[in-house]
Amino acid sequence: MKKQGNKILRIRGYALALIFIGMIIMYAGVFFRTIPWLFSIFLFVGLLPILLSFAIYFWVGMISTRALTVQCPNCEKHTKILGHVDFCQHCKEPLTVDKELEGEDFSLDYNVPHRREKAIEEKKQDGNMQKDEQA
């Protein structure tokens, strides 16, 4: 199974795909150039995903400026992290900025507050159970 990439890069990939989808829709309109109203509809409908990709690129640029920059322990390169857990942009190593989630199985669900709190609580309970067994 292919490893997932960094959230910022995935969002940019979707925006790039929207540009190509819009261009394909517009190009399909060329086949109807003898019917001006249908040709115009294809051009307009093809323009919508391109404008949406513009908005997505702008949005990801804004959140990229607020993203936390960390150094990956695996490849030693700097990468931006959105949320509490993310992947390295270069080597796709799972990273976390939350000390309480270190050593846990990696899940993007940890970026959702109630799921992260549940995982931390379970980890604390497991730690308490192990201490009780040792005593």
Side-chain angles (χ1 to χ4, degrees):
M1 185 170 130
K2 183 182 171 192
K3 281 187 173 182
Q4 286 184 317
N6 182 275
K7 275 183 241 155
I8 293 174
L9 296 180
R10 279 186 283 160
I11 295 170
R12 286 179 182 161
Y14 292 133
L16 182 63
L18 281 173
I19 289 175
F20 285 114
I21 289 168
M23 290 174 64
I24 289 169
I25 292 170
M26 290 174 141
Y27 187 73
V30 171
F31 296 113
F32 302 102
R33 63 179 171 240
T34 57
I35 309 169
W37 63 271
L38 191 56
F39 179 67
S40 299
I41 288 174
F42 271 93
L43 287 181
F44 179 73
V45 170
L47 185 65
L48 294 177
I50 292 174
L51 292 176
L52 181 61
S53 74
F54 171 77
I56 291 172
Y57 272 120
F58 180 78
W59 173 67
V60 81
M62 291 283 100
I63 64 173
S64 180
T65 60
R66 294 180 300 164
L68 181 64
T69 303
V70 298
Q71 186 173 8
C72 175
N74 189 30
C75 67
E76 307 268 328
K77 294 181 181 177
H78 292 294
T79 186
K80 291 186 177 185
I81 292 183
L82 288 179
H84 289 270
V85 294
D86 204 353
F87 293 97
C88 176
Q89 293 176 339
H90 309 285
C91 67
K92 298 185 176 155
E93 176 78 17
L95 301 171
T96 182
V97 293
D98 197 345
K99 298 290 182 190
E100 295 176 329
L101 294 175
E102 287 182 1
E104 290 290 313
D105 290 335
F106 186 81
S107 174
L108 290 175
D109 289 341
Y110 294 146
N111 288 325
V112 181
H114 69 275
R115 292 181 185 156
R116 182 179 59 254
E117 290 167 5
K118 182 180 174 185
I120 291 170
E121 189 64 35
E122 287 175 359
K123 185 175 180 179
K124 286 180 182 177
Q125 287 177 355
D126 288 342
N128 290 338
M129 290 177 64
Q130 289 176 356
K131 288 179 183 177
D132 291 340
E133 289 175 2
Q134 290 175 355

